[in-house]
Amino acid sequence: MTKRILSGMQPTHGLHLGNYLGALRNWVDLQHNDYEALFCVVDLHAITLPYESDMLASRTREVAAAYIAAGIDPRKSTIFAQSAVPEHSQLMWLLATMAQMGKLDRMTQFKDKAGKNAERVGLGLYAYPVLMAADILIYKATHVPVGEDQKQHLELARDLAATFNTRYKREFFPQPEPQILGEATRVMSLQDGAKKMSKSDPSEKSRINLTDDAETIAAKIKRAQTDSEPLPMNVEGLKDRAGADNLVTIYAALKRCSRADVLSEFGGQQWSGFKPALAELAVAELSPITAKMADLMANPAKIDKILAQGAEKARSIAAPVLKETMDIMGFWH
Ligand code: AQP
């Protein structure tokens, strides 16, 4: 069977270091393997909470620009907007009829995002994991590289694939494998080591954006939460020190080494020495991406062309899968 990767990011706001280290950089690495890869900008997911409609298209282009700037090669991988492939939403409805409410009720992202407003948020936010399952299964994707926070949603996608196969008595959808890779599978907020770094965090200081300049990155790292102790000598010493653990993890991920390696270099030192080294590393990794993104954003027609070609390619895979799904389910045609 073809090894096929599918993953995506929401154009809710600009991407941040968590999106980059937890997912995007891994996509770039995987692209060199023996996989067919599709990367979408999941704009249908981005409207599940209140959003600015006049910004949606430009944010979609910006996320596509980030993919390309980080190293996704449109000649090797398919880059497209989710909404340009209507088969995602069509398959979602079919899968929704098989998704158990009890399982959806257990989704922690819904609980986190709905917060105290669970009664008032839209059905789309609740059904988000079913659309995500459709995003994956419409391509019969076998591998899904994501950050740690998406693990539970992927379990649901696996579950729905199995339910369909059992109900219709055939091995139609493969079981998509999560690929949660690298040292920083869950990058935390720079302001609160207990919270995930997130695009929707109201505090700009909580995250490093892919569009931040060197000075901003250094200032955010300088103010990042740590504690009064120096860096520990070993990984056990990071226990119950969430802010400290987060910065060491980010450093390890950027340097592509382990946290133990970082501590063997910096253990016992003060944060005032470590933070500038971390800022330097982050700037060295991100500034070429930021510059390339700016170049691409200055030429939106180029991005639009890549997205249009990507949508055509994606539809050429998705349409036959949808048709076969509907045939199996017994629809008239
Ligand atoms: N903090 C993170 N650490 C590691 N990986 C992360 N990802 C997101 N945040 C982190 C991974 O990035 C990919 C795209 O995520 P998304 O755009 O679908 O949205 P999300 O997971 O809900 O991320 P945000 O930043 O928190 O967005 P908002 O605030 O808009 O909801 C996924 O692979 C995710 O795991």
Side-chain angles (χ1 to χ4, degrees):
M1 188 191 294
T2 326
K3 282 191 199 166
R4 188 178 283 153
I5 287 183
L6 180 284
S7 202
M9 307 229 178
Q10 299 183 68
T12 32
H13 297 278
L15 300 187
H16 53 71
L17 188 66
N19 299 130
Y20 178 68
L21 292 176
L24 182 51
R25 195 177 66 170
N26 298 328
W27 301 357
V28 176
D29 294 345
L30 289 164
Q31 187 181 226
H32 302 297
N33 286 350
D34 176 27
Y35 291 101
E36 177 181 357
L38 297 114
F39 298 113
C40 57
V41 182
V42 287
D43 49 359
L44 295 172
H45 288 286
I47 62 165
T48 52
L49 282 170
Y51 73 102
E52 296 159 286
S53 56
D54 53 344
M55 297 296 287
L56 185 60
S58 70
R59 285 188 173 141
T60 299
R61 283 189 198 100
E62 190 181 310
V63 172
Y67 291 180
I68 300 162
I72 301 295
D73 180 349
R75 288 165 305 181
K76 282 192 194 147
S77 302
T78 305
I79 301 174
F80 63 102
Q82 180 190 30
S83 62
V85 183
E87 286 81 3
H88 289 233
S89 321
Q90 289 171 278
L91 181 63
M92 181 209 167
W93 179 256
L94 305 179
L95 296 177
T97 63
M98 296 167 217
Q100 293 174 5
M101 299 281 285
K103 288 188 178 152
L104 290 175
D105 281 343
R106 288 199 282 277
M107 294 292 144
T108 54
Q109 183 172 293
F110 175 76
K111 290 182 199 157
D112 291 347
K113 291 198 171 177
K116 295 192 186 81
N117 288 324
E119 289 289 318
R120 272 187 275 152
V121 294
L123 172 63
L125 188 69
Y126 186 72
Y128 182 118
V130 185
L131 179 57
M132 182 167 151
D135 298 336
I136 297 165
L137 299 182
I138 196 69
Y139 301 103
K140 294 192 170 181
T142 54
H143 294 82
V144 186
V146 283
E148 169 80 36
D149 61 319
Q150 294 298 326
K151 206 171 162 193
Q152 196 186 28
H153 289 168
L154 251 157
E155 277 304 318
L156 187 86
R158 289 168 63 82
D159 202 77
L160 284 170
T163 304
F164 183 95
N165 293 347
T166 307
R167 192 171 292 183
Y168 296 100
K169 299 187 181 61
R170 69 199 77 195
E171 282 307 304
F172 183 66
F173 289 120
Q175 283 278 298
E177 288 293 334
Q179 290 182 301
I180 299 172
L181 306 167
E183 196 70 18
T185 56
R186 189 175 177 84
V187 177
M188 308 310 277
S189 155
L190 297 181
Q191 296 286 297
D192 178 354
K195 262 171 54 184
K196 189 184 81 135
M197 184 179 284
S198 175
K199 299 187 213 90
S200 49
D201 192 316
S203 166
E204 269 293 318
K205 290 185 211 135
S206 68
R207 64 182 158 261
I208 292 172
N209 300 306
L210 296 191
T211 48
D212 285 345
D213 60 24
E215 213 175 303
T216 310
I217 292 175
K220 286 180 178 175
I221 291 177
K222 192 170 176 198
R223 285 192 212 104
Q225 182 197 42
T226 45
D227 48 41
S228 53
E229 299 295 310
L231 277 91
M233 301 307 290
N234 52 38
V235 173
E236 290 71 58
L238 290 170
K239 199 165 171 278
D240 300 325
R241 296 177 67 186
D245 194 354
N246 192 32
L247 295 193
V248 171
T249 302
I250 293 173
Y251 191 99
L254 287 168
K255 194 102 192 257
R256 293 183 185 267
C257 66
S258 66
R259 290 181 304 162
D261 292 336
V262 180
L263 295 176
S264 69
E265 188 181 345
F266 289 97
Q269 293 190 30
Q270 298 300 325
W271 294 102
S272 54
F274 177 77
K275 284 180 169 178
L278 175 59
E280 198 181 316
L281 204 55
V283 169
E285 175 101 5
L286 298 184
S287 62
I289 299 174
T290 311
K292 199 154 181 224
M293 269 177 78
D295 275 357
L296 284 159
M297 286 304 283
N299 189 356
K302 188 172 170 188
I303 303 175
D304 289 348
K305 193 170 166 205
I306 290 169
L307 287 172
Q309 285 169 344
E312 202 180 320
K313 172 82 197 298
R315 284 201 83 179
S316 74
I317 304 171
V321 174
L322 181 69
K323 179 168 186 319
E324 215 182 326
T325 309
M326 293 182 72
D327 285 349
I328 292 169
M329 292 178 76
F331 282 96
W332 169 86
H333 59 88

